């Protein structure tokens, strides 16, 4: 009788231990999968930023040196773009993403119409999943840098260096 009870108890414990370790393995597997998915999303965000040319304007000196380390990307620029719209500055995206949730970013990016030369149409045409991955990628870089200068109205002389956007037509 006694050994039978012990044996039963032992096998019950055994079964529950096994299922416990199965649950742990399952949880670990799920969290690994989540991490792998997260990394794939960040990688796609990096790809979209690179292919979208966002660094050209939002990363200082990128057009002069494409090897600027990723840790310096998207901090905004104080090089003005002066045209009939006034003077604009490519803002600091490393700060912007920390001011909104992922859903707010998707809504903002798919409706915003920034002044030139911001190619906002590219953001409107992006797949929602790509916008979400971009958000995750920028956020993964961490907050960095100062805010870019505020936009100036037409006619106001910038106190920063600037590039003039002015079409010149050949003389007839
Ligand atoms: C040719 C230069 C240029 C490129 C390329 C560029 N931006 Fe911009 N971006 C700007 C400027 C300048 C502003 C500020 C516009 C303003 O003040 O209204 C801006 C503003 C923004 C804003 C704020 C919202 C808005 O529409 O003003 C977001 C978000 C943004 N850029 C994201 C991006 C992303 C993501 C990419 C790559 C797909 C990108 N930009 C490519 C110059 C650029």
């Amino acid at each position: 009788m006694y050994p039978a009870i012990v044996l039963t108890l032992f096998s019950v414990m055994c079964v529950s231990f096994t299922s416990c370790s199965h649950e742990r393995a399952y949880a670990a597997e799920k969290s690994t999968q989540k991490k792998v998915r997260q990394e794939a999303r960040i990688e796609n965000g990096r790809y979209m930023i690179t292919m979208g040319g966002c660094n050209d304007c939002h990363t200082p000196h990128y057009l002069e040196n494409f090897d600027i380390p990723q840790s310096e990307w998207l901090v905004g620029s104080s090089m003005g773009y002066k045209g009939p719209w006034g003077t604009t500055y490519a803002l600091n995206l490393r700060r912007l993403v920390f001011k909104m949730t992922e859903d707010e970013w998707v809504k903002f990016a798919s409706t915003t119409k920034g002044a030139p030369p911001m190619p906002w149409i590219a953001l409107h045409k992006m797949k929602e999943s790509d916008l979400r991955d971009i958000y995750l990628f920028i956020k993964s870089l961490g907050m960095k840098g100062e805010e870019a200068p505020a936009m100036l109205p037409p006619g106001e002389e910038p106190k920063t260096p600037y590039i003039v956007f002015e079409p010149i037509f050949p003389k007839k």
Side-chain angles (χ1 to χ4, degrees), residues 49 52-54 56-58 81 88-91 93 96 105 108 112-120 123 126 151:
I49 287 285
C54 317
D56 293 2
C57 302
H58 288 270
Y81 296 101
T88 49
Y89 298 89
L91 47 81
L93 299 175
L96 187 72
W105 158 260
F108 175 76
T112 181
K113 288 188 177 174
M118 171 59 203
W120 49 260
L123 297 184
M126 260 180 211
M151 179 182 180

Short mmCIF file of all heavy atoms in Angstrom, two decimals, residues 49 52-54 56-58 81 88-91 93 96 105 108 112-120 123 126 151, ligand 1:
data_model
loop_
_atom_site.label_atom_id
_atom_site.label_comp_id
_atom_site.label_asym_id
_atom_site.label_seq_id
_atom_site.Cartn_x
_atom_site.Cartn_y
_atom_site.Cartn_z
N ILE A 49 14.50 53.38 -44.44
CA ILE A 49 15.14 54.69 -44.23
C ILE A 49 16.26 54.88 -45.26
O ILE A 49 16.40 55.94 -45.86
CB ILE A 49 15.72 54.80 -42.79
CG1 ILE A 49 14.59 54.96 -41.77
CG2 ILE A 49 16.74 55.93 -42.68
CD1 ILE A 49 13.93 56.31 -41.73
N GLY A 52 14.69 55.13 -48.72
CA GLY A 52 13.85 56.32 -48.81
C GLY A 52 14.67 57.60 -48.90
O GLY A 52 14.12 58.68 -49.07
N GLY A 53 15.99 57.49 -48.72
CA GLY A 53 16.85 58.67 -48.80
C GLY A 53 16.66 59.65 -47.66
O GLY A 53 17.02 60.83 -47.77
N CYS A 54 16.09 59.20 -46.56
CA CYS A 54 15.77 60.10 -45.45
C CYS A 54 17.03 60.73 -44.86
O CYS A 54 16.99 61.89 -44.40
CB CYS A 54 15.02 59.35 -44.35
SG CYS A 54 13.74 58.24 -44.97
N ASP A 56 19.57 61.77 -46.44
CA ASP A 56 20.08 62.85 -47.30
C ASP A 56 19.86 64.21 -46.65
O ASP A 56 20.72 65.09 -46.73
CB ASP A 56 19.37 62.84 -48.67
CG ASP A 56 19.71 61.59 -49.48
OD1 ASP A 56 20.44 60.73 -48.97
OD2 ASP A 56 19.21 61.49 -50.61
N CYS A 57 18.70 64.38 -46.06
CA CYS A 57 18.38 65.68 -45.45
C CYS A 57 18.38 65.64 -43.93
O CYS A 57 18.74 66.61 -43.28
CB CYS A 57 17.02 66.16 -45.94
SG CYS A 57 16.93 66.31 -47.73
N HIS A 58 17.92 64.53 -43.36
CA HIS A 58 17.74 64.49 -41.90
C HIS A 58 19.02 64.14 -41.14
O HIS A 58 19.03 64.18 -39.91
CB HIS A 58 16.62 63.52 -41.53
CG HIS A 58 15.25 64.02 -41.89
ND1 HIS A 58 14.47 64.78 -41.02
CD2 HIS A 58 14.52 63.93 -43.03
CE1 HIS A 58 13.33 65.10 -41.60
NE2 HIS A 58 13.33 64.60 -42.83
N TYR A 81 16.72 75.13 -46.01
CA TYR A 81 16.33 75.02 -47.43
C TYR A 81 15.45 76.22 -47.72
O TYR A 81 14.32 76.28 -47.24
CB TYR A 81 15.57 73.71 -47.68
CG TYR A 81 16.42 72.49 -47.45
CD1 TYR A 81 16.29 71.75 -46.27
CD2 TYR A 81 17.35 72.08 -48.40
CE1 TYR A 81 17.08 70.63 -46.05
CE2 TYR A 81 18.14 70.96 -48.18
CZ TYR A 81 18.00 70.25 -47.01
OH TYR A 81 18.78 69.15 -46.78
N THR A 88 13.08 76.03 -44.52
CA THR A 88 12.73 74.86 -43.69
C THR A 88 13.99 74.12 -43.26
O THR A 88 15.05 74.27 -43.87
CB THR A 88 11.83 73.89 -44.49
OG1 THR A 88 12.43 73.65 -45.77
CG2 THR A 88 10.44 74.43 -44.67
N TYR A 89 13.84 73.34 -42.22
CA TYR A 89 14.95 72.54 -41.68
C TYR A 89 14.46 71.11 -41.49
O TYR A 89 13.36 70.91 -40.95
CB TYR A 89 15.42 73.11 -40.34
CG TYR A 89 15.96 74.51 -40.46
CD1 TYR A 89 15.11 75.62 -40.35
CD2 TYR A 89 17.31 74.73 -40.73
CE1 TYR A 89 15.60 76.91 -40.49
CE2 TYR A 89 17.81 76.02 -40.87
CZ TYR A 89 16.95 77.10 -40.74
OH TYR A 89 17.43 78.37 -40.90
N ALA A 90 15.25 70.15 -41.93
CA ALA A 90 14.88 68.74 -41.75
C ALA A 90 14.92 68.44 -40.26
O ALA A 90 15.98 68.54 -39.62
CB ALA A 90 15.85 67.84 -42.51
N LEU A 91 13.78 68.14 -39.71
CA LEU A 91 13.71 68.06 -38.24
C LEU A 91 14.37 66.79 -37.67
O LEU A 91 14.70 65.86 -38.41
CB LEU A 91 12.27 68.21 -37.75
CG LEU A 91 11.18 67.40 -38.43
CD1 LEU A 91 11.17 66.01 -37.89
CD2 LEU A 91 9.85 68.09 -38.24
N LEU A 93 14.33 63.52 -36.26
CA LEU A 93 13.40 62.39 -36.17
C LEU A 93 13.67 61.54 -34.93
O LEU A 93 12.79 60.83 -34.44
CB LEU A 93 13.48 61.53 -37.43
CG LEU A 93 13.11 62.23 -38.75
CD1 LEU A 93 13.35 61.31 -39.95
CD2 LEU A 93 11.67 62.70 -38.74
N LEU A 96 11.44 63.21 -32.54
CA LEU A 96 10.03 63.15 -32.93
C LEU A 96 9.36 61.84 -32.51
O LEU A 96 8.26 61.85 -31.96
CB LEU A 96 9.92 63.33 -34.46
CG LEU A 96 8.50 63.45 -35.00
CD1 LEU A 96 7.89 64.80 -34.62
CD2 LEU A 96 8.47 63.30 -36.52
N TRP A 105 2.24 57.84 -34.77
CA TRP A 105 3.22 58.03 -35.84
C TRP A 105 2.62 57.64 -37.19
O TRP A 105 2.75 58.35 -38.19
CB TRP A 105 4.50 57.23 -35.55
CG TRP A 105 5.32 56.94 -36.77
CD1 TRP A 105 5.36 55.77 -37.47
CD2 TRP A 105 6.22 57.84 -37.45
NE1 TRP A 105 6.22 55.87 -38.53
CE2 TRP A 105 6.76 57.14 -38.55
CE3 TRP A 105 6.61 59.15 -37.24
CZ2 TRP A 105 7.67 57.70 -39.43
CZ3 TRP A 105 7.52 59.72 -38.13
CH2 TRP A 105 8.05 59.01 -39.20
N PHE A 108 0.18 60.27 -38.26
CA PHE A 108 0.90 61.50 -38.59
C PHE A 108 1.61 61.35 -39.94
O PHE A 108 1.43 62.17 -40.84
CB PHE A 108 1.91 61.81 -37.47
CG PHE A 108 2.80 62.98 -37.75
CD1 PHE A 108 2.32 64.27 -37.63
CD2 PHE A 108 4.14 62.80 -38.10
CE1 PHE A 108 3.15 65.36 -37.88
CE2 PHE A 108 4.97 63.87 -38.36
CZ PHE A 108 4.47 65.16 -38.24
N THR A 112 0.67 63.89 -42.89
CA THR A 112 1.41 65.15 -42.82
C THR A 112 1.79 65.68 -44.21
O THR A 112 2.07 64.90 -45.12
CB THR A 112 2.68 64.98 -41.97
OG1 THR A 112 3.35 66.26 -41.91
CG2 THR A 112 3.66 63.99 -42.57
N LYS A 113 1.79 67.00 -44.34
CA LYS A 113 2.24 67.60 -45.60
C LYS A 113 3.23 68.70 -45.26
O LYS A 113 2.89 69.88 -45.24
CB LYS A 113 1.05 68.17 -46.37
CG LYS A 113 0.17 67.09 -46.97
CD LYS A 113 -0.88 67.65 -47.89
CE LYS A 113 -1.67 66.51 -48.52
NZ LYS A 113 -2.80 66.99 -49.31
N GLY A 114 4.46 68.27 -44.94
CA GLY A 114 5.50 69.23 -44.59
C GLY A 114 5.86 70.09 -45.79
O GLY A 114 5.61 69.72 -46.94
N ALA A 115 6.46 71.23 -45.50
CA ALA A 115 6.86 72.14 -46.59
C ALA A 115 8.03 71.53 -47.36
O ALA A 115 8.73 70.65 -46.85
CB ALA A 115 7.24 73.48 -45.97
N PRO A 116 8.29 72.02 -48.58
CA PRO A 116 9.41 71.52 -49.37
C PRO A 116 10.74 71.71 -48.64
O PRO A 116 10.83 72.64 -47.82
CB PRO A 116 9.36 72.39 -50.63
CG PRO A 116 7.98 72.95 -50.68
CD PRO A 116 7.53 73.05 -49.26
N PRO A 117 11.74 70.92 -48.94
CA PRO A 117 11.73 69.82 -49.92
C PRO A 117 11.35 68.46 -49.32
O PRO A 117 11.70 67.44 -49.90
CB PRO A 117 13.19 69.82 -50.40
CG PRO A 117 13.98 70.22 -49.20
CD PRO A 117 13.11 71.18 -48.43
N MET A 118 10.63 68.45 -48.19
CA MET A 118 10.23 67.16 -47.60
C MET A 118 9.34 66.39 -48.57
O MET A 118 8.25 66.85 -48.93
CB MET A 118 9.49 67.42 -46.28
CG MET A 118 8.84 66.17 -45.69
SD MET A 118 10.06 64.87 -45.37
CE MET A 118 9.04 63.40 -45.40
N PRO A 119 9.80 65.21 -49.02
CA PRO A 119 8.98 64.41 -49.96
C PRO A 119 7.90 63.62 -49.21
O PRO A 119 7.94 62.39 -49.18
CB PRO A 119 10.02 63.49 -50.61
CG PRO A 119 11.07 63.30 -49.55
CD PRO A 119 11.09 64.54 -48.71
N TRP A 120 6.93 64.35 -48.63
CA TRP A 120 5.94 63.68 -47.77
C TRP A 120 5.12 62.64 -48.51
O TRP A 120 4.60 61.71 -47.91
CB TRP A 120 5.03 64.71 -47.08
CG TRP A 120 4.44 65.75 -47.97
CD1 TRP A 120 4.91 67.02 -48.12
CD2 TRP A 120 3.31 65.63 -48.85
NE1 TRP A 120 4.14 67.70 -49.03
CE2 TRP A 120 3.14 66.87 -49.49
CE3 TRP A 120 2.41 64.60 -49.15
CZ2 TRP A 120 2.13 67.11 -50.42
CZ3 TRP A 120 1.40 64.84 -50.08
CH2 TRP A 120 1.27 66.08 -50.70
N LEU A 123 5.97 59.14 -47.68
CA LEU A 123 5.42 58.60 -46.44
C LEU A 123 3.96 58.18 -46.63
O LEU A 123 3.52 57.16 -46.12
CB LEU A 123 5.51 59.63 -45.31
CG LEU A 123 6.91 60.06 -44.89
CD1 LEU A 123 6.84 61.00 -43.70
CD2 LEU A 123 7.77 58.86 -44.54
N MET A 126 3.72 54.77 -48.38
CA MET A 126 4.32 53.60 -47.73
C MET A 126 3.26 52.68 -47.16
O MET A 126 2.22 53.13 -46.72
CB MET A 126 5.23 54.06 -46.59
CG MET A 126 6.67 54.07 -46.97
SD MET A 126 7.64 54.62 -45.57
CE MET A 126 8.97 55.44 -46.46
N MET A 151 10.98 76.62 -38.69
CA MET A 151 10.80 77.12 -40.06
C MET A 151 10.65 78.65 -40.07
O MET A 151 10.04 79.20 -39.17
CB MET A 151 9.53 76.48 -40.63
CG MET A 151 9.20 76.91 -42.02
SD MET A 151 7.66 76.13 -42.56
CE MET A 151 7.54 76.82 -44.20
C1 LIG B 1 15.13 66.55 -49.63
C2 LIG B 1 15.24 66.58 -48.19
C3 LIG B 1 14.42 65.61 -47.37
C4 LIG B 1 14.30 64.24 -47.53
C5 LIG B 1 14.94 63.37 -48.59
C6 LIG B 1 13.44 63.77 -46.45
N1 LIG B 1 13.05 64.81 -45.67
FE1 LIG B 1 11.76 64.72 -44.10
N2 LIG B 1 11.80 66.74 -43.94
C7 LIG B 1 12.62 67.60 -44.66
C8 LIG B 1 12.36 68.97 -44.26
C9 LIG B 1 13.06 70.20 -44.79
C10 LIG B 1 11.35 68.91 -43.28
C11 LIG B 1 10.67 70.09 -42.57
C12 LIG B 1 9.44 70.49 -43.33
C13 LIG B 1 8.66 71.58 -42.65
O1 LIG B 1 9.23 72.31 -41.84
O2 LIG B 1 7.45 71.70 -42.94
C14 LIG B 1 11.02 67.50 -43.11
C15 LIG B 1 10.05 67.03 -42.24
C16 LIG B 1 9.80 65.69 -41.99
C17 LIG B 1 8.82 65.18 -41.08
C18 LIG B 1 7.85 66.03 -40.27
C19 LIG B 1 6.52 66.11 -40.93
C20 LIG B 1 6.51 66.92 -42.15
O3 LIG B 1 5.94 66.45 -43.16
O4 LIG B 1 7.04 68.04 -42.11
C21 LIG B 1 8.91 63.83 -41.07
C22 LIG B 1 8.08 62.84 -40.27
C23 LIG B 1 9.95 63.48 -42.00
N3 LIG B 1 10.47 64.62 -42.54
C24 LIG B 1 10.37 62.18 -42.25
C25 LIG B 1 11.15 61.84 -43.35
C26 LIG B 1 11.40 60.46 -43.77
C27 LIG B 1 10.92 59.22 -43.02
C28 LIG B 1 12.13 60.54 -44.91
C29 LIG B 1 12.58 59.39 -45.78
C30 LIG B 1 11.52 58.61 -46.38
C31 LIG B 1 12.37 61.95 -45.19
N4 LIG B 1 11.77 62.70 -44.22
C32 LIG B 1 13.09 62.44 -46.27
C33 LIG B 1 13.52 67.24 -45.63
C34 LIG B 1 13.63 65.96 -46.17
#
